[in-house]
Amino acid sequence: MRIIDVLVVGGGASGLQAAITTKTTYPDKEVVLVRKEQQVLIPCGIPYIFGTLSDSSKDILPDKLLTSVGVEIVVDELIEIKVKEHQCVLASNEIIQYTKLILALGSIPTKPAWLKGADLENVFTIPKNKEYLDQVLVALSSLKEVMVIGAGFIGVEVSDELNKKGYKVTLLEIEKTILNRAFDDEFGVLAQEHLQERGVRVITGKGVSEIKGKNGKVSEVVLSTGELLKADAVILSMGYAPNTQVAKEAGIELNDFGFIKTCEYMRVLPCTIDIVAVGDCAEKRDFVTRKIDRTMLASTACAEARTAGMNLYSLSPCKPFTGTIAIYATAIGSHAFGTAGITEAKAMQENFSVICGSFTGMDTHPGNLEHSHKQMVKLIVASDCGMILGAEVYGGASTGELTNAIGFLIQNRVTVKQLLTMQIGTQPLLTGSPAAYPLVKAAEVIVKKMH
């Protein structure tokens, strides 16, 4: 039996970040990371192996990030946690005794039990598994017509990437707009228009009822309306479930959605100082609504992992994880979409009294430069105090970083009135005009409404 200080289980973004943070915060501690995979994929880059990258080997998280700071990597699989004994049993029969355990178990794609035909050949999911995805790429190479079911971020990005490679792609979404959980309708409609311009067939407002096959392989998809659509392959992008079965078997408490219960320092509940959980397997709350949230994002996972690592041996009241702001961004060609916090629709659903304001300008000045792009910012703020609750951005290459900046404003509970005196640095090639900066102008629109 091996005895170590800190055992991290899981090699994805949260496990990697937790191990690095722990080792750099407590350099005298021995940190060992156990993962199943020989090579770990960069999770957000997975859709791009279907087109832009064309090869999963171009989307690898380098081990040097861990080994350069002194983290040891063990390729093995956790099969049992003995909580009382502070022990983990691996598939190789090795037993590791730990002082601290960090569970970064990740998530697995869902394949609905009710979906008839989901087990046919050429029905695929998108796990964070290099070997499986390499097999998908090989299988797709001889096929032509692909249906992607589910128009969240992964579904949209995979559809766009397959389209780039010359596949005939249909994207099916049961909601009335794509990217429905992250964006209000006007942004979803705009994203759909750009996808269709690029050649992706988009069907919204209809679900899937069955996948039909011939000789054991996919041949058609039956829509909820009864329509039949030809397909050589189906990619299910219908969500992910926390990978928490081994934790459940160990007696670790899960919430109603199957996530490991945690506090704001990511310690497992009921309170224990010896086990923390981070990333897709861990419970989290929405920053604005304070409700249990099912957001699964690498960026959120890394924030949780930093929190867990910094607080592993000693708590700091300055370093809790206070809830997910759900900061997303995606690109469709040269067009980018970003969102942070809650949407207007979500705010209304949760009974917040809000005022919204939008402004469309340019991301350069003058706006007729070769790389100029329209930039639209929508702010959602509390009507009583002006606190920013959410925002959505449409624009060019600067969209991702502007969305990140807005996320930080939300995290620090900045009010829309503070944006009116916000000091900004502008440059013709890089930003909008100081006199027409879309973020500030959107704030002006809202303040006028408040008056």
Side-chain angles (χ1 to χ4, degrees):
M1 182 172 65
R2 185 174 176 185
I3 302 173
I4 64 170
D5 297 314
V6 182
L7 176 62
V8 182
V9 181
S14 59
L16 176 139
Q17 185 63 66
I20 292 172
T21 302
T22 299
K23 187 61 180 177
T24 54
T25 305
Y26 308 99
D28 59 322
K29 302 298 183 183
E30 182 184 11
V31 180
V32 175
L33 182 143
V34 173
R35 70 186 194 207
K36 292 191 297 183
E37 307 85 2
Q38 286 288 344
Q39 292 181 301
V40 177
L41 294 173
I42 299 170
C44 298
I46 288 173
Y48 299 97
I49 71 174
F50 292 92
T52 301
L53 297 175
S54 299
D55 185 345
S56 66
S57 65
K58 297 177 181 177
D59 186 46
I60 301 297
L61 269 169
D63 287 347
K64 190 176 180 181
L65 293 171
L66 293 163
T67 57
S68 64
V69 298
V71 175
E72 179 186 346
I73 299 170
V74 173
V75 178
D76 209 328
E77 183 177 359
L78 173 70
I79 60 171
E80 184 182 2
I81 305 169
K82 297 181 177 180
V83 175
K84 291 182 180 179
E85 294 86 350
H86 282 55
Q87 293 175 354
C88 284
V89 182
L90 307 183
S92 63
N93 291 322
E94 180 179 7
I95 297 175
I96 297 179
Q97 185 156 345
Y98 59 83
T99 301
K100 302 287 185 180
L101 175 63
I102 301 177
L103 296 176
L105 303 173
S107 58
I108 50 178
T110 54
K111 186 181 280 190
W114 55 262
L115 182 56
K116 186 177 179 181
D119 293 325
L120 287 167
E121 187 175 340
N122 295 333
V123 176
F124 307 112
T125 57
I126 309 293
K128 300 160 190 172
N129 182 300
K130 185 180 186 301
E131 292 182 5
Y132 176 92
L133 292 172
D134 284 343
Q135 293 170 5
V136 174
L137 290 174
V138 171
L140 288 174
S141 64
S142 61
L143 307 177
K144 183 64 180 174
E145 297 193 47
V146 182
M147 173 168 281
V148 180
I149 301 176
F153 284 93
I154 292 175
V156 166
E157 290 169 357
V158 168
S159 297
D160 191 37
E161 291 298 304
L162 288 171
N163 177 66
K164 285 182 188 177
K165 297 294 285 186
Y167 291 93
K168 185 177 179 182
V169 182
T170 299
L171 176 61
L172 180 68
E173 172 55 52
I174 195 169
E175 301 292 346
K176 65 178 181 178
T177 57
I178 68 174
L179 301 174
N180 178 267
R181 290 187 180 181
F183 292 95
D184 286 309
D185 288 353
E186 63 267 35
F187 287 83
V189 168
L190 193 53
Q192 179 173 329
E193 290 173 354
H194 286 317
L195 264 184
Q196 291 170 325
E197 290 165 1
R198 292 167 64 77
V200 177
R201 181 186 184 188
V202 182
I203 299 173
T204 57
K206 299 177 183 179
V208 58
S209 61
E210 183 182 349
I211 302 171
K212 290 192 171 184
K214 289 182 180 178
N215 302 318
K217 297 182 178 180
V218 171
S219 60
E220 293 177 314
V221 175
V222 184
L223 304 190
S224 55
T225 57
E227 299 169 76
L228 294 176
L229 296 180
K230 185 178 181 300
D232 300 319
V234 172
I235 295 177
L236 300 177
S237 180
M238 303 174 75
Y240 291 77
N243 180 30
T244 52
Q245 184 61 32
V246 70
K248 181 179 180 181
E249 291 171 356
I252 294 172
E253 287 195 28
L254 310 182
N255 69 19
D256 291 342
F257 300 120
F259 296 91
I260 298 170
K261 290 185 176 182
T262 61
C263 71
E264 290 191 343
Y265 297 99
M266 308 314 300
R267 289 179 171 181
V268 168
L269 296 174
C271 291
T272 171
I273 64 171
D274 300 323
I275 307 176
V276 300
V278 295
D280 289 358
C281 71
E283 179 178 80
K284 52 190 63 65
R285 291 183 179 272
D286 183 280
F287 181 84
V288 177
T289 69
R290 310 313 302 165
K291 289 185 175 180
I292 300 297
D293 190 85
R294 288 184 279 184
T295 293
M296 294 183 183
L297 277 174
S299 53
T300 297
C302 286
E304 292 175 336
R306 286 191 292 271
T307 296
M310 290 185 293
N311 290 286
L312 195 58
Y313 281 89
S314 177
L315 292 185
S316 168
C318 300
K319 299 173 183 175
F321 183 78
T322 53
T324 178
I325 300 171
I327 306 171
Y328 298 81
T330 192
I332 301 172
S334 61
H335 312 290
F337 297 81
T339 179
I342 61 173
T343 62
E344 180 181 8
K346 181 70 172 179
M348 300 300 289
Q349 178 186 329
E350 295 292 337
N351 202 31
F352 284 101
S353 176
V354 297
I355 299 175
C356 301
S358 299
F359 183 86
T360 301
M362 300 298 294
D363 62 2
T364 61
H365 61 288
N368 55 9
L369 297 167
E370 185 178 354
H371 67 284
S372 297
H373 196 291
K374 281 185 179 178
Q375 188 177 84
M376 176 169 64
V377 175
K378 175 179 180 178
L379 294 175
I380 301 99
V381 310
S383 61
D384 60 339
C385 61
M387 184 183 296
I388 303 168
L389 303 180
E392 294 158 63
V393 181
Y394 164 71
S398 61
T399 296
E401 293 306 330
L402 177 56
T403 305
N404 283 340
I406 295 173
F408 194 63
L409 298 179
I410 296 170
Q411 184 176 339
N412 285 277
R413 296 179 168 83
V414 171
T415 70
V416 72
K417 291 184 178 180
Q418 289 172 280
L419 291 185
L420 300 185
T421 56
M422 176 182 176
Q423 297 186 46
I424 53 175
T426 59
Q427 203 279 337
L429 303 180
L430 303 176
T431 73
S433 164
Y437 196 69
L439 176 59
V440 176
K441 299 301 287 186
E444 290 178 357
V445 169
I446 290 176
V447 171
K448 285 180 182 177
K449 291 181 179 180
M450 293 176 75
H451 289 164

